[in-house]
Each structure stands twice: as structure tokens, then as C-alpha cells.
Amino acid sequence: MRIKAEPLTAAAFAPFGDVLDASGQPDRFINEGRCGRYHDRAHLDFGPGGRAGISIFRSEPRPLPHVLELVERHPDGSQAFLPLDRYGFLVTVARDENGRPGGPLAFVTAPGQGVNFHRGTWHGVLAPLRGNGLFAVVDRIGDTRNLEEFRLERTLTVY
């Protein structure tokens, strides 16, 4: 199966999570008016018994076309990816259909955009398109495994 990656927009991504960026006018100015604050851009959900953690991920670039064979989800908490370089990355998501991933969608972030996957959202592996592949990741730290993986029956090529 082949799908085309579309530019990431808040409206298209809303069923799966939040787009994290500094587009438009800031919600308020702080630091003597020298810093625009884009306030409360993600719904972070760490579930019962969880807490927020910040990790650093480094991933090898995966240029397009990208072959996707595995998706995952985190049933106990949200997961946010904030790129630490200025390159876009590929975001692949799928709706849940009775505990399995449904039809996939793919997006390419603009430089400086991040995403927050809502709890339970099926998504592809981290796929920086170029650069150093360095990300700050905010997700659930707790005693549960908080990871379900699903190997696709048919590979997906994203272009």
C-alpha cells in the first residue's frame, strides 16, 4: 500500500493529537515583552500512577520514500516529540479499529513543528527526514509497560 504524506496541520491532526509550534500570534508576552508565549499547546495525559518525564531520543534519518512495517501506541499516556534541529520529520498515524490500527495517514512537519500523540493513538516509528534526528520527548514514566506494537500485515510505503 502507498500513501502520500501531507503537510501537517492542526485540523488534520486533531483526531490523533496536538500540533506543537509557534505559528500565529503568541497568546501573551513575558520577560519584559521580549518573549512570546504560545500557551498550553498540548493535552498531556499521564494516566493514573504516571508522571511526566523528559527524554532525549536520537534517531537515524529515514528519507522518503519510507517503508513502514510497524506501528505502536501508548495506552497509558500521551507522548510528545519536539525536534531539537530545524528539519521536518514524518508522522504516520492510524485510527483505532477494535484494538488494531485502521487506515493510515501520513504528515510531514514543517521545520520547528512538533507533535503530541494522544493516549492510545497508533503511530509509526520516529522518522526524521534529515538532520541529526535529535528530539526531546515528553511522555509517561510509570510502572506499566505503556507500549503496544503491531506489525502491519502489508507494508506501507509513504512518499
Side-chain angles (χ1 to χ4, degrees), residues 16-36:
F16 309 101
D18 311 297
V19 173
L20 306 175
D21 65 12
S23 61
Q25 290 297 313
D27 297 297
R28 61 184 74 132
F29 285 92
I30 59 174
N31 298 336
E32 299 175 326
R34 295 175 185 257
C35 179

Side-chain angles (χ1 to χ4, degrees), residues 85-140:
D85 63 19
R86 295 292 298 167
Y87 299 108
F89 62 103
L90 179 66
V91 178
T92 308
V93 291
R95 296 185 195 285
D96 182 67
E97 293 183 358
N98 299 317
R100 298 169 57 97
L105 297 172
F107 302 96
V108 174
T109 67
Q113 276 185 321
V115 296
N116 177 56
F117 295 116
H118 288 166
R119 181 199 300 213
T121 295
W122 290 107
H123 62 87
V125 298
L126 184 56
L129 298 173
R130 60 186 181 140
N132 64 19
L134 198 59
F135 291 79
V137 178
V138 180
D139 62 356
R140 183 182 195 277

Side-chain angles (χ1 to χ4, degrees), residues 45 72-79 81 117-123 139-140 145-148:
D45 175 4
E72 64 184 37
R73 68 178 175 177
H74 308 282
D76 297 334
S78 57
Q79 187 177 46
F81 288 86
F117 295 116
H118 288 166
R119 181 199 300 213
T121 295
W122 290 107
H123 62 87
D139 62 356
R140 183 182 195 277
R145 188 163 183 265
N146 194 28
L147 174 67
E148 293 179 28

